[in-house]
Amino acid sequence: MHIFFNKREEEKRAVIEQIILEKYNQYYRIAYSYTHNEADACDIVQNGAYRALRGSSALKKPEYAATWVYRIMLNECFRYTKQPQNLSYEYMQDAMGVEPSYTEDSSENLDIRRALDSLSEQDKAVIVLRFFEDMKLEEIADILDENLNTVKSRLYRGIKKLRGVLGENI
């Protein structure tokens, strides 16, 4: 079975493919911040890439492709976290207070991870994109398809909650 795309659809797919390849590591870091598991983070990125490529015809303007793909990846993260059967063994160990089997994370990183997990999905997304991906608030607003002031409020609320969980050291 052959699938034929018109020239415009092929161009959109090519742009999306290029963005996925260029930003794969960023997507992986975002997914890992939600799953705390390498395999699950890779699955999220793979599923997000599949959805983006499959739905490329829904992209209205190719110049917004990067923002559009980020939104798809975040939605995959949200979808993953809402499915309790997807909680990995390492994540469950972490949630129960047992030290995970990998040693690359310091106890400080585990504290930050737990604090981030205490945030709502939307607040966590703003914090991760702002501080871990070093994005500007305007970019975050575009990715989340929210008003800039809403993003600012989420950032303020997220930082305030993180300070409450971690203490004033952040």
Side-chain angles (χ1 to χ4, degrees):
M1 176 180 186
H2 294 286
I3 299 175
F4 296 99
F5 296 103
N6 64 36
K7 186 174 180 177
R8 182 161 162 75
E9 296 301 317
E10 287 179 16
E11 289 172 3
K12 285 195 260 184
R13 280 182 67 88
V15 168
I16 291 169
E17 285 178 15
Q18 186 63 35
I19 288 168
I20 290 169
L21 291 173
E22 288 174 3
K23 297 182 180 287
Y24 179 87
N25 289 335
Q26 292 172 324
Y27 301 144
Y28 172 82
R29 285 193 305 267
I30 292 168
Y32 188 85
S33 75
Y34 281 85
T35 65
H36 314 302
N37 179 282
E38 291 178 19
D40 293 340
C42 287
D43 286 347
I44 286 172
V45 174
Q46 182 178 359
N47 289 341
Y50 172 75
R51 285 181 188 270
L53 290 169
R54 185 171 161 230
S56 63
S57 62
L59 178 63
K60 304 261 190 269
K61 297 181 180 180
E63 59 266 22
Y64 298 127
T67 300
W68 187 74
V69 175
Y70 264 113
R71 191 174 306 135
I72 289 170
M73 293 297 175
L74 281 172
N75 286 337
E76 282 300 308
C77 291
F78 298 160
R79 186 177 291 112
Y80 177 90
T81 59
K82 288 180 181 174
Q83 298 175 1
Q85 70 271 16
N86 284 334
L87 296 177
S88 68
Y89 178 69
E90 289 175 345
Y91 183 79
M92 292 303 290
Q93 282 181 316
D94 189 37
M96 294 184 300
V98 177
E99 202 62 31
S101 59
Y102 49 92
T103 57
E104 63 200 41
D105 286 332
S106 68
S107 62
E108 182 178 294
N109 288 343
L110 291 174
D111 290 342
I112 292 170
R113 181 188 304 168
R114 288 182 184 123
L116 282 170
D117 287 344
S118 72
L119 300 176
S120 71
E121 289 176 351
Q122 295 83 6
D123 292 351
K124 181 177 180 178
V126 171
I127 296 288
V128 167
L129 292 174
R130 175 66 185 104
F131 295 109
F132 293 88
E133 297 303 322
D134 200 30
M135 290 186 173
K136 295 179 181 176
L137 294 177
E138 294 82 7
E139 291 175 294
I140 297 169
D142 286 341
I143 289 168
L144 298 177
D145 195 26
E146 291 184 347
N147 182 297
L148 179 60
N149 288 331
T150 302
V151 170
K152 289 178 182 178
S153 295
R154 291 186 189 287
L155 181 63
Y156 173 78
R157 183 174 47 241
I159 290 172
K160 185 175 178 183
K161 185 159 186 180
L162 287 175
R163 281 194 176 126
V165 173
L166 294 171
E168 293 297 321
N169 296 332
I170 65 165

